[in-house]
Amino acid sequence: MTYPVVLGFLSALTLIAAIGAQNAFVLRQGIRGEHVAAVVALCTVSDVLLIGAGIAGFGALVTAHPAALDIARFGGAAFLIGYGLLAARRAARPAALTPSEQGPARLVGVLVTCAALTWLNPHVYLDTVVLLGALANEHREDRWLFGVGAVTASAVWFTALGFGARRLGGLFSAPSTWRVLDALIAMIMIALGVAVALG
């Protein structure tokens, strides 16, 4: 009875924990200490919806209509590259103050960016809807138990990443450290965007 739950947890954790646009954003918000709970909640709820859709059979629908995935691919690539360029600009021309001293970003803007990084990334659909959906459906009547494990992994990961990043706050008290982080985020985002665009 618990085997599908454990397998779902481990399968989802290995996919979600990979370095990606969404994780980089959650890490940055966690270090800044801005709207962390809202960001963690949005990422977790998004995974609940996507994993549930995969288990319900939407993975087969996605693979049957590659044109829709192509639209998401190019839109997501453009967004990732654009976000990467903004991070590169922050790294090249840092503000005199650290982000925590500049005042918090607006909640709406943070959530819109987080949602875009989540829902405009085609890899999210391939990992959650298609791959996890297919793995879950191998368990037939226990597929929803697999889903419970996968969703739990998502909640644990994003909570640990978002709130655990606060421990790095002292390290990021200097603007130079933020430049390094933004440079790394820029490289990750642009590389992911190019990879997504090239398919």
Side-chain angles (χ1 to χ4, degrees):
M1 191 71 162
T2 59
Y3 174 72
V5 176
V6 173
L7 191 60
F9 184 94
L10 295 175
S11 299
L13 193 62
T14 55
L15 291 172
I16 295 167
I19 296 293
Q22 187 185 47
N23 284 339
F25 183 78
V26 175
L27 178 64
R28 189 171 198 278
Q29 289 304 122
I31 293 170
R32 289 174 61 111
E34 289 183 358
H35 313 302
V36 180
V39 168
V40 168
L42 177 58
C43 291
T44 303
V45 169
S46 295
D47 273 5
V48 169
L49 295 174
L50 290 164
I51 293 168
I55 296 173
F58 281 90
L61 190 64
V62 169
T63 53
H65 295 86
L69 203 54
D70 284 340
I71 293 170
R73 179 161 62 98
F74 290 117
F79 183 84
L80 289 171
I81 292 171
Y83 189 88
L85 292 174
L86 288 175
R89 183 183 176 192
R90 287 195 306 265
R93 288 193 258 170
L97 301 174
T98 62
S100 60
E101 294 169 330
Q102 294 170 2
R106 293 180 58 202
L107 175 61
V108 173
V110 169
L111 292 181
V112 167
T113 301
C114 185
L117 288 171
T118 302
W119 292 90
L120 291 180
N121 186 355
H123 287 299
V124 170
Y125 298 97
L126 294 175
D127 288 346
T128 56
V129 179
V130 177
L131 185 53
L132 285 177
L135 290 173
N137 281 296
E138 288 181 5
H139 295 275
R140 302 186 184 278
E141 65 274 6
D142 290 332
R143 64 188 183 277
W144 291 106
L145 290 176
F146 182 98
V148 168
V151 166
T152 302
S154 175
V156 168
W157 170 254
F158 287 120
T159 300
L161 182 63
F163 290 101
R166 287 185 174 180
R167 295 182 176 270
L168 299 173
L171 178 64
F172 284 85
S173 58
S176 58
T177 315
W178 280 101
R179 292 186 72 179
V180 173
L181 179 64
D182 280 326
L184 289 173
I185 289 175
M187 288 188 287
I188 291 170
M189 297 291 186
I190 293 171
L192 284 172
V194 171
V196 166
L198 295 177

